Amino acid sequence: MSNGSTFPPHRRPRGTLLAALAALVAVALAGWLIWRAQGGEPPRAGAPAAGGAPTGGADPAGGGTPPPEKKGGGGTEPPGALRGKVVVLDPGHNPRNREHGHEIARQVQIGTDRKECDTTGTATNDGYAEASFTLDVARRARTLLQERGATVVFTQDGDRPYGPCVDERAAIGNTAHADAAVSVHADGSAAGNRGFHVILPERVRAGAADTAAIVAPSRALGERLVSRFATATGSAPSNYLGGGTGLDPRSDLGGLNLSKVPKVFIECGNMRDPKDAAQLTDAQWRQKAARGITEGITDFLTR
């Protein structure tokens, strides 16, 4: 029976088959070219698709390389950026100094003079002690620095009955051969005096003090701390010291005079000013302060 075609129903013309085969080859070739243009690798599970959305679920337990840490200035730092670096953090004063007035009043040599072993530090009008503030911020900064691979040494971690004395604080940094040392403090100036500042070592040569080798690198560390701390916290440099630079060179601090490694003090704000005190007593702001300190140290040690 005829079906309107000159060919049997179970056969197709050779030309039709060849056309279909050519079309399949063209499609396959186009797909291969696209694959090569994208790098020649199949997408990994969880990798972004062309539109940017993940193609699979992320592994909450990790197992891969963590993303680079975002920097306060908008860049990134790999987690191991400070591997091999030693950082000494010196939380100012000690929460138990008040119980050891006789011991901390003992005079020690700082090169240019003799001064008290340590002091109690200041406090906010509501009684939040500088010594508590410094330990909290230093511990937060330690965590961040360790995440970047640094070895972090503390002069005290609330584990001593008092002190240590200012000369021992410097010696701890020297013995550790620190690449950078930062003493964390908060000021006790008059109300209305606001902002943070970084204290730098001046050129001193007297007795056991000789800062010639550390003046320049300490200034570089201080400048980076000022920049990063301002960015991280939103605070302005001191309006009562440093002429707006946030930098205050001094020659009367044993922790700086006796240091053989780059070292600075950072006064994170004025505890006696109500507006500054509101920041210093806020845990979220203290985390920002710790990040600013971490960023400044990182900038100094990686550039």
Side-chain angles (χ1 to χ4, degrees):
M1 178 183 292
S2 173
N3 61 0
S5 171
T6 58
F7 298 94
H10 61 280
R11 299 182 62 185
R12 291 291 184 269
R14 180 175 296 177
T16 303
L17 292 173
L18 290 175
L21 181 60
L24 289 173
V25 170
V27 170
L29 179 60
W32 181 82
L33 290 173
I34 292 172
W35 177 74
R36 289 292 295 173
Q38 292 177 341
E41 292 290 344
R44 294 175 289 106
T55 59
D59 178 6
T65 302
E69 182 182 350
K70 290 185 177 180
K71 294 178 69 176
T76 60
E77 283 292 348
L82 298 181
R83 188 169 292 115
K85 302 296 186 180
V86 177
V87 177
V88 168
L89 293 180
D90 177 27
H93 313 290
N94 184 317
R96 297 174 62 187
N97 274 358
R98 295 177 183 281
E99 303 166 13
H100 297 273
H102 178 73
E103 290 88 346
I104 67 172
R106 176 172 62 88
Q107 298 283 299
V108 298
Q109 180 60 246
I110 65 166
T112 56
D113 200 356
R114 295 180 65 83
K115 293 188 72 171
E116 297 90 346
C117 157
D118 203 5
T119 65
T120 59
T122 187
T124 66
N125 293 333
D126 292 333
Y128 180 54
E130 179 187 1
S132 298
F133 169 84
T134 65
L135 263 178
D136 183 74
V137 172
R139 286 168 175 166
R140 293 170 186 268
R142 173 173 58 189
T143 298
L144 296 174
L145 288 162
Q146 288 175 336
E147 287 174 355
R148 297 184 180 192
T151 297
V152 181
V153 177
F154 265 37
T155 57
Q156 60 95 11
D157 197 5
D159 52 354
R160 300 177 60 129
Y162 65 91
C165 296
V166 294
D167 55 346
E168 184 181 354
R169 290 175 187 264
I172 290 170
N174 298 341
T175 300
H177 301 289
D179 296 289
V182 175
S183 190
V184 181
H185 287 264
D187 208 1
S189 187
N193 290 341
R194 298 199 60 196
F196 71 92
H197 64 278
V198 175
I199 303 174
L200 310 176
E202 281 190 336
R203 178 69 174 86
V204 169
R205 187 173 183 180
D210 187 353
T211 60
I214 69 164
V215 168
S218 296
R219 174 171 283 273
L221 171 60
E223 289 171 347
R224 284 160 175 78
L225 278 172
V226 167
S227 174
R228 288 300 194 173
F229 195 86
T231 299
T233 63
S235 296
S238 170
N239 64 5
Y240 61 100
L241 284 171
T245 67
L247 300 172
D248 180 31
R250 288 176 59 173
S251 62
D252 63 329
L253 297 174
L256 297 181
N257 288 359
L258 301 175
S259 181
K260 306 299 182 186
V261 301
K263 184 174 182 179
V264 299
F265 283 40
I266 182 165
E267 299 278 0
C268 297
N270 177 17
M271 296 197 111
R272 309 300 289 182
D273 177 80
K275 292 180 179 179
D276 271 13
Q279 295 179 331
L280 298 168
T281 55
D282 178 24
Q284 291 184 343
W285 188 91
R286 293 197 299 273
Q287 184 65 26
K288 295 177 182 178
R291 182 163 297 280
I293 292 169
T294 299
E295 299 290 357
I297 293 172
T298 300
D299 272 3
F300 172 69
L301 293 180
T302 57
R303 284 158 179 77

